[in-house]
Amino acid sequence: MKVVVGQGSCGIATGAKKTAAEFERLIKKKNLSGISVDKTGCIGTCYLEPIVDVYSDDGDLQARYVKVQPDKVETIVNRHLQNGEIVSEYEISESDREFLSKQKRIVLRNCGVINPERIEEYMAAGGYQALKKVVTSMTPEQVIEEMKESGLRGRGGAGFPTWFKWNAAKESPDEEGKYMCCNADEGDPGAFMDRSVLEGDPHSLIEGMIIGGYAIGASEGVIYVRAEYPLAIERLELAIRQAEEHGFLGDRLFGTDYSYHLRIKAGAGAFVCGEETALIASLEGQRGMPRLKPPFPAQKGYWGKPTNINNVETFANVPWILEHGGAAFGAMGTEQSKGTKVFALAGKIKRGGLAEVPMGLPLRDVIFGIGDGIKDGRRFKAVQMGGPSGGCIPAELADTPVDYENINKTGAIVGSGGMIVMDETTCMVDMARYFLDFTRKESCGKCNYCRVGTKRMLEILERITEGKGRDGDIELLEELALKIKEGSLCGLGQTAPNPVLTTLKYFRNEYEDHIYKKKCTAKSCSALLTFVITDACKGCTLCAKKCPVGAITGGVKEKHVIDTEKCIKCGKCEESCKFGAILKE
C-alpha cells in the first residue's frame, strides 16, 4: 500500500509537508510495514489541497482524501491503513470529481499521478519512448510534418503554429550550432499552468525540448525559468541529472550521432522577458529589452545563432503528439485551434485550479461546468483572459468558444491560459487600473508610448476610482490606448491597453457612473462609498467598538449614527453588524 501526498506549491502552501510527516510518524509508530509515503505534484484541484491518495499494492486508487490537515491523519491511518475502511467523510465528493472527469488531460497527463522526482515513474508511464522513436527512426523533416499535422499552436500567448517556427529554425543555416529554448518565465497574474508542469512532470518538458532540438538541428537547450519558482527549479535540476544518468541527455543519444545538452537559467522575474527577444537579451546577460524584428530569432537569436523559443505547455504536448501521432492531437479542438489547452481558474470561482479541456469548449462550460460557478451564490459578471495583455469578457458572451479566433473577436486573447473570474462586487474600472498598473511597472522603458503612455493612462484611471474623474477622461483613455498600441515595439506595450479598451467596450456605464455620478457601481471603490446605518440598528454598540476612528456614536439600544467626515470607509462596521443594519451606498 502507498500513501501519496500532493506536494506542488499549492499543496505545500496549505500544509502538505506537515501532513506527509504525520503519516510517516504514525506509520512508523504503529509499525505498519509495507506502507510507504510518497509525493506527487498538483493534480489541478488546488482548492482541495492538501490531497492524499491511497493506492493498493496493485497500483489501484483506493481513495482520494481532500483538505487533509495533520489532525485528520490519525483517523485515516487507523480506519483505512489499519482496518481497510474508507473514511468517507474525508473523501472527495462526487461533485468535486467532476472537476477532473470533465477534462481531457494531455499536458497534465502525469501531474498529480507520478512522483516528479523519480524518472522511473515517468518512464513507466511511457516517458522517453517518443524520444527514442524520433531519434532512432525519424528524420527531422518527418518530426516537423507530424507537428504540422497536429496543428499545435504556441501556448505561450501568440498562438503561432509550432511547426512553422521549428521549420524556420531548421532551414536557417549555421554550422556553429543552434539553440532550442524554453520560456518558463510565467508572469501573468493568476496564471500557474507552467509552474504546475515544472513541479509535477518536468520530464515531459525535457523530452519535448530534446525532440524539438532534434527537429531543428540544435544540440543545446536552455530553460529560462523565473527565480520565484524555487520548487520548479529544484525539480528541474534533479530531472536533468536523472535524464543524463539514463542517457536521454548528453552525447550520442540511443547510440546515434545526435547529442543534446540542457541547462537552466533563472530569470529575475521581469514580465517583459516573456517576449522572446527580451528573453534572449536576458539569457545573454543584458537588460531584458525587446529588439526590432526581423531578424527573427529563428535567423539570429541567442548569441546570434538560429534559436527557437516555445513555452512549457507547448513542449509538454510534444511527446504525446509524437507517440500518438499528429492526427490524434489534431482530431481534438476546432479546425483552426486544435488540441487541448490548460487554463488556470482563479478569482471569484468555487473551484479554483487547473483545467485542461479541448479547444472550442464554451466559456460557460469551463466556468460553470468545471469551475462550478461563482462563489457565495453571486452573479457572474466577467472573466479576464490573457492576463495583463488580455481583456475582460462579459457574462453575456459566456457562450463564446474558447479558441484563438473567437476569443480574439471579443477583444481579449487566450494568452497563456489565465482565467480570472469576477462577480458583481468587482469594479471593472478598478480591474483595468490594476492590470495597467502591472504593465506600467513591467514596461522596460524602451518605447516612449509604452513608458509614458501607460503612466498617463494609469493616472487617469486612479483619478476616476478616487472620485476625481473629469469630463473627457474616457475619450482621452481611448486616444492614448490606440496610440500606445500603434507606437510600441513589443507585445507588452501593444497589448497593455487591452484591459482598458475591453472594459470601456462592455462596461462603459461604470466609467460614466464613476465620473458623472461619483458612484462605484460595484460598491468597491472606497473613495466613492458612504456607509449608512438603517432603522434595523438594535443599538448593540458593536459597530462603535470596532470603528478604529470613533466615527460611530449612539447609546445602548439606540440607533447609531456614522459621522461621514470622520469615516475612513474601512468597512469594519459593516463586517461586525449582526443585524445587516449597515449599508454601503
Side-chain angles (χ1 to χ4, degrees):
M1 187 179 291
K2 182 168 69 171
V3 175
V4 179
V5 183
Q7 294 188 51
S9 287
C10 53
I12 293 171
T14 53
K17 284 191 173 183
K18 293 179 181 179
T19 298
E22 184 66 2
F23 269 108
E24 290 173 346
R25 185 185 73 82
L26 288 174
I27 289 171
K28 182 178 180 180
K29 177 183 177 181
K30 295 174 182 291
N31 196 27
L32 301 178
S33 60
I35 301 178
S36 61
V37 179
D38 208 348
K39 67 177 68 171
T40 188
C42 170
I43 200 167
T45 51
C46 306
Y47 67 105
L48 296 175
E49 295 287 358
I51 298 172
V52 175
D53 291 338
V54 180
Y55 290 88
S56 68
D57 292 334
D58 296 329
D60 296 326
L61 179 63
Q62 293 184 340
R64 171 163 291 155
Y65 299 115
V66 299
K67 299 182 179 180
V68 184
Q69 295 297 334
D71 61 347
K72 294 182 177 181
V73 172
E74 188 163 11
T75 303
I76 296 173
V77 171
N78 292 341
R79 289 169 56 181
H80 189 159
L81 303 190
Q82 283 191 299
N83 299 317
E85 174 194 351
I86 302 298
V87 187
S88 58
E89 60 267 35
Y90 294 168
E91 266 199 299
I92 186 171
S93 69
E94 285 300 322
S95 173
D96 287 326
R97 289 181 198 274
E98 294 180 356
F99 186 92
L100 295 171
S101 65
K102 291 184 177 181
Q103 299 184 36
K104 175 63 179 176
R105 293 165 72 90
I106 292 177
V107 172
L108 303 178
R109 58 193 178 275
N110 294 322
C111 291
V113 178
I114 67 170
N115 185 332
E117 297 180 4
R118 289 207 188 105
I119 191 173
E120 294 81 8
E121 292 196 20
Y122 179 71
M123 294 168 64
Y128 291 109
Q129 289 303 307
L131 174 63
K132 182 178 180 180
K133 171 185 174 182
V134 165
V135 174
T136 61
S137 65
M138 296 179 72
T139 64
E141 291 78 12
Q142 289 173 324
V143 175
I144 291 176
E145 187 59 34
E146 284 290 343
M147 296 301 297
K148 183 177 182 179
E149 189 172 3
S150 75
L152 176 65
R153 296 169 66 169
R155 298 302 197 232
F160 201 75
T162 302
W163 78 269
F164 192 91
K165 288 183 72 173
W166 286 18
N167 194 59
K170 176 185 173 295
E171 295 298 318
S172 293
D174 196 295
E175 296 179 358
E176 296 181 21
K178 301 177 182 180
Y179 293 95
M180 175 62 81
C181 296
C182 174
N183 176 3
D185 189 56
E186 187 174 47
D188 287 8
F192 47 97
M193 300 76 60
D194 290 353
R195 187 193 71 201
S196 182
V197 175
L198 294 172
E199 294 177 354
D201 190 19
H203 287 284
S204 66
L205 164 63
I206 293 170
E207 185 176 10
M209 288 190 70
I210 304 170
I211 291 171
Y214 176 81
I216 72 170
S219 59
E220 188 173 345
V222 185
I223 303 172
Y224 185 87
V225 60
R226 60 197 302 108
E228 292 94 334
Y229 285 179
L231 182 61
I233 293 174
E234 178 185 325
R235 290 181 177 169
L236 266 176
E237 289 174 339
L238 176 60
I240 289 173
R241 290 198 301 271
Q242 292 174 340
E244 290 171 341
E245 291 167 1
H246 283 74
F248 301 132
L249 274 174
D251 297 327
R252 300 183 59 81
L253 303 187
F254 299 101
T256 67
D257 292 332
Y258 182 63
S259 300
Y260 189 83
H261 298 268
L262 188 61
R263 63 183 178 86
I264 297 170
K265 165 68 176 179
F271 183 65
V272 72
C273 288
E275 197 279 336
E276 57 184 7
T277 61
L279 185 152
I280 289 170
S282 182
L283 279 177
E284 294 173 344
Q286 303 173 43
R287 182 179 177 187
M289 299 177 76
R291 61 167 171 77
L292 284 170
K293 294 184 285 190
F296 295 95
Q299 302 161 318
K300 187 178 181 181
Y302 186 39
W303 298 125
K305 309 301 179 187
T307 303
N308 184 88
I309 300 176
N310 292 113
N311 84 320
V312 174
E313 186 180 341
T314 307
F315 282 122
N317 277 297
V318 172
W320 192 96
I321 291 171
L322 270 298
E323 180 181 353
H324 296 86
F329 188 86
M332 295 178 281
T334 66
E335 184 60 32
Q336 292 179 292
S337 299
K338 298 183 183 296
T340 62
K341 179 74 187 77
V342 182
F343 293 99
L345 303 179
K348 306 295 182 65
I349 195 163
K350 290 180 183 177
R351 298 173 181 160
L354 294 175
E356 184 174 2
V357 297
M359 296 287 271
L361 197 70
L363 263 173
R364 186 183 305 278
D365 288 6
V366 178
I367 295 170
F368 290 92
I370 295 175
D372 199 30
I374 312 304
K375 286 180 181 178
D376 304 322
R378 297 187 185 276
R379 179 178 56 85
F380 171 50
K381 185 174 185 178
V383 57
Q384 171 79 10
M385 283 195 67
S389 301
C392 289
I393 302 174
E396 55 264 33
L397 297 180
D399 292 316
T400 302
V402 182
D403 58 39
Y404 292 100
E405 288 70 34
N406 284 292
I407 294 299
N408 286 350
K409 289 177 184 177
T410 69
I413 60 173
V414 171
S416 60
M419 281 191 184
I420 300 179
V421 180
M422 294 164 270
D423 63 19
E424 72 263 32
T425 65
T426 305
C427 172
M428 305 312 292
V429 183
D430 191 54
M431 179 61 67
R433 181 207 59 77
Y434 167 80
F435 281 111
L436 198 69
D437 181 53
F438 179 88
T439 48
R440 192 267 305 177
K441 290 174 180 174
E442 294 294 335
S443 171
C444 75
K446 188 171 187 176
C447 308
N448 287 340
Y449 275 112
C450 182
R451 183 182 71 249
V452 182
T454 54
K455 181 175 175 61
R456 294 293 170 255
M457 286 185 71
L458 178 62
E459 289 170 349
I460 296 170
L461 290 170
E462 288 176 336
R463 195 170 68 239
I464 292 174
T465 57
E466 291 168 1
K468 302 173 184 176
R470 301 193 290 256
D471 187 28
D473 277 348
I474 293 176
E475 292 74 18
L476 183 54
L477 281 171
E478 290 174 324
E479 181 184 353
L480 284 169
L482 294 176
K483 287 183 177 179
I484 292 168
K485 289 177 74 72
E486 292 173 1
S488 297
L489 173 64
C490 82
L492 185 148
Q494 292 164 6
T495 59
N498 284 350
V500 178
L501 289 174
T502 52
T503 50
L504 279 171
K505 180 179 181 180
Y506 299 116
F507 301 97
R508 196 180 191 91
N509 64 299
E510 294 200 20
Y511 283 83
E512 292 170 344
D513 286 348
H514 278 71
I515 295 171
Y516 301 111
K517 297 180 181 179
K518 305 302 179 185
K519 291 290 183 183
C520 175
T521 313
K523 298 180 180 179
S524 172
C525 297
S526 61
L528 298 175
L529 293 180
T530 301
F531 286 87
V532 177
I533 299 178
T534 69
D535 291 338
C537 176
K538 304 297 183 182
C540 71
T541 74
L542 186 59
C543 61
K545 293 175 182 177
K546 293 291 183 179
C547 180
V549 293
I552 301 176
T553 56
V556 177
K557 296 185 179 181
E558 294 179 355
K559 179 184 175 183
H560 284 43
V561 177
I562 298 176
D563 184 339
T564 56
E565 293 297 319
K566 285 185 177 181
C567 178
I568 59 173
K569 303 171 184 180
C570 65
K572 295 289 185 182
C573 56
E574 184 189 26
E575 293 173 9
S576 64
C577 183
K578 299 177 181 179
F579 307 102
I582 300 178
L583 300 179
K584 281 189 297 189
E585 294 182 349

